[in-house]
Amino acid sequence: YRPFRYQVNYKKLPQGIILGSETASTVSSRGVYKFPVERKAMQREIDIQKSLHHPNCLNLYGMSVTPKGTPALLMELGDGCLTDYTTKQTKPRLSNQQKCQIILEIAQGLEYIHSKGCIHRDIKLDNILMKDGHPKIADFGLARSIDPSRSMEISFAGSPVL
């Protein structure tokens, strides 16, 4: 999530219109989807994120495809990721009360996601976007729907720890 790349990525979108300051277009870094498995994974991400309507989940407004076939998601515009918000902030440091409020709102978003039968599987500072001082859970690329009729499976997902 890098707001400074919006103008470059925007030029890759076929519709060529600006939808307003509250939206952002993200061209998939995964490239062109040529195989059914990749298309299925992208559709799963879109379906999950479209089904979530909570103040602490990033809104997905739609999807487009560039002329080269690269998927592009149209979503709510955040102010930046939580990493930047906590480490590159020029304002006074966050108080303990502000930090606790951010953690509480993230937990409320996760509780909502789980109540909808989904798990995110990649919660990290870079996947929490800030919008007007409130966290928004983003990047549902590794998210899965939970099938309550199946027993729990053990799998490893998420970003590697460096």
Side-chain angles (χ1 to χ4, degrees), residues 59-84:
N59 291 316
L60 175 66
Y61 300 125
M63 185 220 165
S64 184
V65 178
T66 67
K68 293 182 179 180
T70 305
L73 303 179
L74 183 66
M75 59 189 69
E76 181 178 11
L77 176 63
D79 301 327
C81 68
L82 191 53
T83 302
D84 294 341

Side-chain angles (χ1 to χ4, degrees), residues 1-4 79-90 125-126 128 130:
Y1 188 79
R2 302 289 179 240
F4 60 87
D79 301 327
C81 68
L82 191 53
T83 302
D84 294 341
Y85 193 79
T86 56
T87 61
K88 298 177 182 174
Q89 190 171 350
T90 57
L125 294 178
D126 287 339
I128 305 293
M130 297 301 292

Side-chain angles (χ1 to χ4, degrees), residues 14-30:
Q15 63 266 27
I17 59 169
I18 295 177
L19 296 172
S21 61
E22 295 301 310
T23 61
S25 295
T26 301
V27 176
S28 174
S29 61
R30 296 178 186 104

